[in-house]
Amino acid sequence: MSSFRELNVYIEARNLVVRVYALLKKFPEEERFAMCSQLRRSSVSVTSNIAEGISRTSSKDQVHFLNIAFGSLMETDCQFEIARDLNYISNSEYDLMYEKIHTLAKLITGLKNRRLSHNEAH
């Protein structure tokens, strides 16, 4: 069994967390315990749930955790959209985050679909 660390989806999720933390440095101080905290939790949740899901032995469990990762990713996207609306980040910074999130969403969905197909085959 290969490690979750070797999966492109996990690597991309970790890269997203690093980008999130870098962008949060630009947020106003009053958001440190509000939106910043929420963005940290949701982005880290993506990575954590990918790792936990892939480490599970059943496809059903793997899909469950990938669904949670996907939900956390959408939460991260939503928070960044609001951050853009509040001018905490620029349109170009949001566009870059949206692109990264969209790419990661495709990877999670693809992995989930492969696990579902694997489950149906057995």
Side-chain angles (χ1 to χ4, degrees):
M1 179 166 107
S2 65
S3 169
F4 62 86
R5 289 180 184 87
E6 298 169 11
L7 296 174
N8 193 38
V9 66
Y10 176 77
I11 293 165
E12 289 298 320
R14 281 185 51 218
N15 288 338
L16 179 72
V17 172
V18 171
R19 288 181 182 274
V20 167
Y21 273 70
L23 277 177
L24 292 179
K25 292 177 183 176
K26 298 179 65 175
F27 280 49
E29 182 68 24
E30 68 263 16
E31 288 295 350
R32 194 173 82 195
F33 296 110
M35 190 178 288
C36 291
S37 177
Q38 189 62 31
L39 273 163
R40 282 186 199 99
R41 285 194 314 271
S42 64
S43 64
V44 169
S45 175
V46 175
T47 307
S48 299
N49 279 289
I50 290 169
E52 185 168 357
I54 295 308
S55 300
R56 298 291 177 130
T57 55
S58 79
S59 295
K60 182 179 177 183
D61 284 345
Q62 290 175 354
V63 168
H64 171 73
F65 282 96
L66 291 172
N67 281 330
I68 295 171
F70 190 87
S72 293
L73 183 63
M74 294 301 102
E75 181 180 347
T76 302
D77 183 32
C78 171
Q79 294 287 317
F80 270 115
E81 189 172 40
I82 294 167
R84 181 201 55 199
D85 294 346
L86 296 171
N87 295 314
Y88 296 165
I89 60 173
S90 68
N91 285 332
S92 62
E93 289 168 324
Y94 172 76
D95 291 344
L96 179 61
M97 290 306 295
Y98 178 82
E99 180 183 318
K100 298 293 181 190
I101 288 168
H102 185 72
T103 298
L104 187 51
K106 286 183 187 177
L107 291 171
I108 292 171
T109 299
L111 182 57
K112 184 176 78 168
N113 289 341
R114 285 191 299 280
R115 295 301 189 239
L116 286 170
S117 297
H118 180 263
N119 197 32
E120 292 171 2
H122 288 92

